[in-house]
Amino acid sequence: MGVQHHKMFIGGEWRDAADAYEIRNPANEELVATVAKGGADDVDAAVAAARAAFRSGCWSGLTGDERRAVMLRIAEGVSENLEELIELEIAANGATVRQAGGFHIGLAAPHMTYFAELAAKHEVERGIATAPYPTISHNILRREPIGVCAGILPWNFPLVLSLWKIGPALAAGNTVVIKTDEKTPLSTLAFARIAHEAGLPAGVLNVITGDGEDVGARLASHPDVGKVAFTGSTAVGREIMRLASQTVKKVSLELGGKGAAVVLDDADLETVADAALFGCCLYSGQMCESITRLIVPDSIHDELVARIVARAATIKLGDPADYDTDLGPVISAEQHERILSYLQIGRDEGATVATGGGVPEGPGFEKGFWVQPTVFTDVTNDMRIAREEIFGPVLTVIRYSGDPAEGVAIANDSIYGLSAAVWSGDYERALEVAAKLEAGTVWVNDVHMVTPELPFGGYKQSGLGRELGPDALNEYSEVKHIHVDLSQRREARAYDMVLSDG
């Protein structure tokens, strides 16, 4: 069987382009597929299809219960195609089969189901009591769909993060244009097929592929797009804001992070050692909410580091399709070089490599983009490895005296505020620390726990707005106030404040 070519999905049909991308497996660099490389004209076609579908009322005109029924069929289709989606995800982004099954793909159907249920619960209209002065009136607040909503995706969790945009947008009655990352479009394109087969009307969901500088920029600035949601780096998020400001559209951004875990002196060290590695090494650290700064009291520092180093030695790197593999490759040669450059920066800054620090050797690692799980000690919070997002399996361990206030100050000394954690055997102490950490999500004695029922997003330069949670649809709707005068008589109205009888 030859290499399959994938087209874009626009207006309910598959659309090709004159140019194409190559999708290569990051574990062995073998060619997996080719994908249409779209341009600004394809963006215009997708937005036009979405706008026409919205105005037709084929989706926006349905009740919440009717949208729920279609979305539940889509979620069922995702479950039925789980193996295909896992294979596509592993081949494109290097996730291990366990990670893909548990996170990258395994979360997709439950998250879509959650948004489907929100569609039925969404309060579209409610009356608001007001004072009878200056006139007696009835007032209504309506939440109405925005229209065409755009989602611009990263490469690390392409399917789940697309559903964080698609799900609430559809539930609120909008139509959607998704721009996938050029490295990992396969699972999102497959989702478009699944949604179409489940009965989603043509034009309601459109998926385009292309370069960010061309396709992403056109989508973010397009005058007929009313909302743009972006997940990715803080630098690109700033550019998305600039482009969106040209037409003053709604924007939500989920950006970078440099998650800090404050370990208190009464924490269970065996558990913290496991959690620290899980926090920084899940999907080779290529997660915005990874915990990459471990802030440790002097009194337990040496013992905890020794436990982390010993545990890191048990992590198995290898073929992502092997169920026994713990850690796969990083996504690309570019990312590989970036991470290795930071490992050298850490050494140059005076940090100590406690374990890892390079590329694994031996059979299976001759090709592909591999990085060892790496732990730096002797790190201070002013070092670049402690301040900048590396996006790799790299943990920086920072000492502090043991005073929780000092640990909090170190954790908060960052431009980022996406995630944080506290580890302690005393929940009262842990909650006191958690309340002072500047982050959108703070875990107590846990990491990486993101569920659709709870909002997710960042403080500071980690983003704007929130995804997930019971209010997720608010990001994809406009609030309209309708005022109905009930006075019935001219003399009972407030006109005489401006107009006299004379």
Side-chain angles (χ1 to χ4, degrees):
M1 180 182 295
V3 172
Q4 185 175 357
H5 179 70
H6 298 260
K7 302 177 183 180
M8 297 173 284
F9 190 71
I10 297 175
E13 298 179 350
W14 297 102
R15 174 174 170 135
D16 210 350
D19 201 358
Y21 292 111
E22 289 186 345
I23 307 298
R24 292 188 176 272
N25 189 323
N28 54 31
E29 303 177 58
E30 292 180 357
L31 184 63
V32 172
T34 60
V35 180
K37 183 178 181 180
D41 289 347
D42 299 300
V43 175
D44 292 344
V47 172
R51 190 165 183 249
F54 180 76
R55 290 190 166 185
S56 76
C58 67
W59 186 254
S60 59
L62 300 183
T63 67
D65 285 331
E66 289 169 332
R67 290 198 288 268
R68 171 184 176 273
V70 177
M71 292 175 69
L72 288 177
R73 289 201 301 271
I74 295 172
E76 185 179 355
V78 170
S79 296
E80 291 172 350
N81 290 272
L82 205 61
E83 291 186 7
E84 175 199 354
L85 292 168
I86 288 174
E87 289 178 5
L88 292 172
E89 200 85 338
I90 291 172
N93 74 0
T96 68
V97 66
R98 296 208 318 264
Q99 291 167 9
F103 293 91
H104 293 76
I105 303 301
L107 294 177
H111 284 219
M112 192 65 180
T113 298
Y114 177 75
F115 293 126
E117 297 300 340
L118 283 187
K121 298 175 184 176
H122 187 48
E123 186 179 48
V124 176
E125 183 175 300
R126 64 189 173 102
I128 299 293
T130 59
Y133 179 84
T135 62
I136 299 174
S137 64
H138 175 62
N139 291 270
I140 302 165
L141 286 187
R142 287 183 53 83
R143 279 205 169 270
E144 299 181 344
I146 295 168
V148 179
C149 296
I152 301 177
L153 304 181
W155 47 259
N156 56 348
F157 281 77
L159 181 57
V160 168
L161 293 181
S162 73
L163 297 189
W164 287 14
K165 284 90 176 146
I166 295 168
L170 293 183
N174 299 284
T175 56
V176 185
V177 179
I178 291 291
K179 187 265 179 197
T180 68
D181 187 273
E182 59 271 18
K183 292 181 286 297
T184 56
L186 303 182
S187 58
T188 307
L189 288 168
F191 176 82
R193 185 202 76 224
I194 292 167
H196 183 68
E197 292 172 349
L200 192 66
V204 174
L205 172 62
N206 307 271
V207 179
I208 54 177
T209 52
D211 292 337
E213 296 85 351
D214 184 15
V215 169
R218 175 59 179 161
L219 192 56
S221 61
H222 200 291
D224 291 332
V225 171
K227 158 70 189 277
V228 59
F230 170 75
T231 298
S233 71
T234 296
V236 177
R238 296 188 192 108
E239 179 64 8
I240 295 291
M241 285 186 71
R242 186 189 71 81
L243 292 167
S245 71
Q246 297 174 11
T247 50
V248 196
K249 55 174 56 67
K250 283 189 131 186
V251 177
S252 58
L253 305 172
E254 196 265 278
L255 307 177
K258 194 69 181 177
V262 178
V263 182
L264 303 186
D265 54 15
D266 59 355
D268 180 78
L269 300 191
E270 183 178 4
T271 305
V272 174
D274 277 2
L277 290 169
F278 181 57
C280 78
C281 289
L282 180 63
Y283 187 43
S284 297
Q286 300 173 120
M287 301 172 66
C288 50
E289 39 77 69
S290 292
I291 295 297
T292 55
R293 291 183 294 153
L294 194 68
I295 302 169
V296 182
D298 287 326
S299 61
I300 61 174
H301 175 276
D302 292 351
E303 183 181 352
L304 179 55
V305 168
R307 287 176 179 269
I308 291 171
V309 169
R311 194 71 171 97
T314 69
I315 296 175
K316 180 182 177 182
L317 279 72
D319 179 5
D322 185 342
Y323 196 81
D324 292 330
T325 295
D326 298 316
L327 207 64
V330 298
I331 185 68
S332 65
E334 180 183 6
Q335 184 67 9
H336 188 246
E337 291 171 7
R338 171 186 166 83
I339 296 167
L340 294 182
S341 74
Y342 272 104
L343 299 186
Q344 187 58 50
I345 288 168
R347 293 184 178 95
D348 294 343
E349 289 180 316
T352 300
V353 177
T355 188
V359 177
E361 299 178 350
F365 302 116
E366 300 89 349
K367 291 186 176 182
F369 313 119
W370 304 91
V371 179
Q372 294 172 321
T374 299
V375 177
F376 278 109
T377 57
D378 301 317
V379 177
T380 55
N381 207 44
D382 59 346
M383 294 180 177
R384 287 182 63 188
I385 59 170
R387 303 199 71 78
E388 298 175 12
E389 188 175 40
I390 299 172
F391 231 56
V394 182
L395 180 69
T396 58
V397 182
I398 302 171
R399 289 177 179 265
Y400 77 105
S401 65
D403 180 356
E406 182 187 352
V408 168
I410 294 170
N412 288 342
D413 181 18
S414 173
I415 66 169
Y416 298 112
L418 186 59
S419 63
V422 187
W423 287 86
S424 173
D426 184 330
Y427 284 108
E428 186 173 344
R429 292 183 72 203
L431 289 172
E432 288 177 358
V433 170
K436 297 173 183 176
L437 291 171
E438 298 168 352
T441 297
V442 180
W443 297 295
V444 174
N445 294 340
D446 213 339
V447 288
H448 287 316
M449 291 299 109
V450 177
T451 64
E453 295 88 355
L454 298 170
F456 182 79
Y459 284 27
K460 299 186 277 189
Q461 294 190 41
S462 285
L464 297 172
R466 292 294 182 268
E467 296 184 298
L468 308 179
D471 298 323
L473 273 60
N474 291 351
E475 296 277 357
Y476 292 86
S477 59
E478 294 281 14
V479 177
K480 176 185 287 182
H481 164 218
I482 299 176
H483 170 90
V484 182
D485 184 276
L486 300 177
S487 60
Q488 299 294 315
R489 294 177 294 113
R490 178 185 179 280
E491 58 269 24
R493 302 185 185 189
Y495 296 166
D496 60 358
M497 294 181 183
V498 175
L499 303 174
S500 68
D501 291 336

